Amino acid sequence: MSVAINEIVTYCQQLLEPSKFKDYCPNGLQVAGRDKINKIVSGVTACQQLLDAAVLAEADVILVHHGYFWRGEQQNVVSIKRNRLQTLLVNDLNLLAYHLPLDAHHSLGNNVQLANKMGWKICSGMNGELGEALVLLGETAKAMYAGELSDQLARVLNRQPLHIAGHQREIKRIAWCTGAAQSFIEEVASTGVDAFISGEISEQTVHLARELGLDYFAAGHHATESYGVQALGEHLAEHFSIEHEFINIHNPV
Ligand SMILES: [Zn+2]
């Protein structure tokens, strides 16, 4: 089976509603390629390695969470940007990117997908309704000490998290946000949860966690954001009866 790229884009726009978000990049079709689509390759970031792998895998669309044209970046098409765009254009590949809409989506989003993998109960969004909130509030499957939560994160994400202890109690109520969400830590602490799980960490996050009395887990930006794009790719493949392959380009951060 094959489907026109415009059908896929229109469907994604309706599904993910990017106009609801104030994002730092354009969401949707970032680079247009061939019209007829048989295969989607998904990945976390549209780096050169993913583009090269997608060409080898005979992709028609590359679907990513981190695409191009970020606010404030240099606009000239030189250096890395030239190389990446050249690979897409020469190979007639479409680049389809969804950033915040794919973090927040109520079933396919990175936050909900991470909760499903970890067995977390979702209670509400911290700063908006489920489907729009970027930070979710919920509970672990059972009360556990930090070491046990660390072990579970390591098992599920295949990567040892960095744990900063804010207290010695058991953890049950949690907040989480995939990617680089350490700057939400003070807002999260004000909700009274036992722990905050995100992808990245900054120097000051350590002091904030200790002084706020909140356990913090940096579980990896790439690792925590590997599932939304896979879920969307699977969903599109099923909906349009086309092929989908997720290609994981290792990234320890
Ligand atoms: Zn991200």
Side-chain angles (χ1 to χ4, degrees):
M1 282 285 286
S2 74
V3 58
I5 182 66
N6 287 344
E7 269 190 66
I8 296 179
V9 175
T10 303
Y11 180 78
C12 285
Q13 295 292 111
Q14 284 167 359
L15 183 70
L16 297 163
E17 301 180 284
S19 63
K20 282 186 175 173
F21 298 86
K22 267 198 191 145
D23 214 331
Y24 318 97
C25 64
N27 285 287
L29 189 62
Q30 290 194 335
V31 180
R34 65 181 68 107
D35 184 49
K36 270 178 84 178
I37 308 305
N38 296 296
K39 181 170 183 179
I40 296 173
V41 158
S42 65
V44 178
T45 301
C47 60
Q48 187 67 48
Q49 241 188 307
L50 179 69
L51 304 186
D52 294 341
V55 171
L56 282 178
E58 299 184 330
D60 303 304
V61 177
I62 303 180
L63 172 68
V64 293
H65 181 51
H66 301 137
Y68 302 153
F69 316 119
W70 298 91
R71 188 195 293 160
E73 80 176 21
Q74 208 201 57
Q75 294 181 337
N76 312 45
V77 181
V78 297
S79 182
I80 288 169
K81 186 183 256 179
R82 177 207 181 252
N83 297 340
R84 291 173 170 184
L85 290 175
Q86 183 179 39
T87 303
L88 289 169
L89 295 171
V90 163
N91 291 287
D92 212 8
L93 277 165
N94 295 278
L95 179 67
L96 188 55
Y98 287 97
H99 184 234
L100 296 183
L102 190 54
D103 285 319
H105 190 264
H106 63 84
S107 61
L108 302 171
N110 282 318
N111 282 327
V112 171
Q113 289 293 319
L114 180 63
N116 293 347
K117 301 273 174 212
M118 291 294 295
W120 294 336
K121 180 180 158 199
I122 299 166
C123 294
S124 63
M126 180 180 80
N127 39 14
E129 285 175 29
L130 189 62
E132 290 179 38
L134 295 174
V135 180
L136 298 186
L137 301 173
E139 290 178 357
T140 51
K142 62 178 177 78
M144 58 179 78
Y145 285 103
E148 198 179 333
L149 183 53
S150 275
D151 289 347
Q152 196 198 352
L153 284 164
R155 251 192 338 269
V156 169
L157 299 176
N158 254 315
R159 177 192 179 283
Q160 194 61 45
L162 182 60
H163 166 235
I164 308 301
H167 60 78
Q168 305 300 324
R169 309 185 308 273
E170 281 187 310
I171 293 164
K172 174 79 178 166
R173 291 169 309 148
I174 55 170
W176 66 97
C177 179
T178 63
Q182 62 269 49
S183 61
F184 283 111
I185 189 167
E186 286 177 280
E187 201 182 335
V188 165
S190 73
T191 68
V193 295
D194 304 313
F196 180 30
I197 301 104
S198 184
E200 293 193 22
I201 188 164
S202 306
E203 192 272 348
Q204 66 265 33
T205 321
V206 175
H207 305 294
L208 290 170
R210 288 174 183 160
E211 291 170 38
L212 291 165
L214 177 70
D215 268 24
Y216 186 80
F217 296 81
H221 189 141
H222 175 92
T224 56
E225 296 199 327
S226 292
Y227 300 110
V229 79
Q230 286 188 66
L232 178 59
E234 284 301 311
H235 178 83
L236 293 174
E238 206 169 295
H239 184 82
F240 291 107
S241 303
I242 53 176
E243 238 189 291
H244 166 246
E245 180 185 348
F246 173 72
I247 297 182
N248 189 40
I249 306 296
H250 176 70
N251 183 340
V253 172

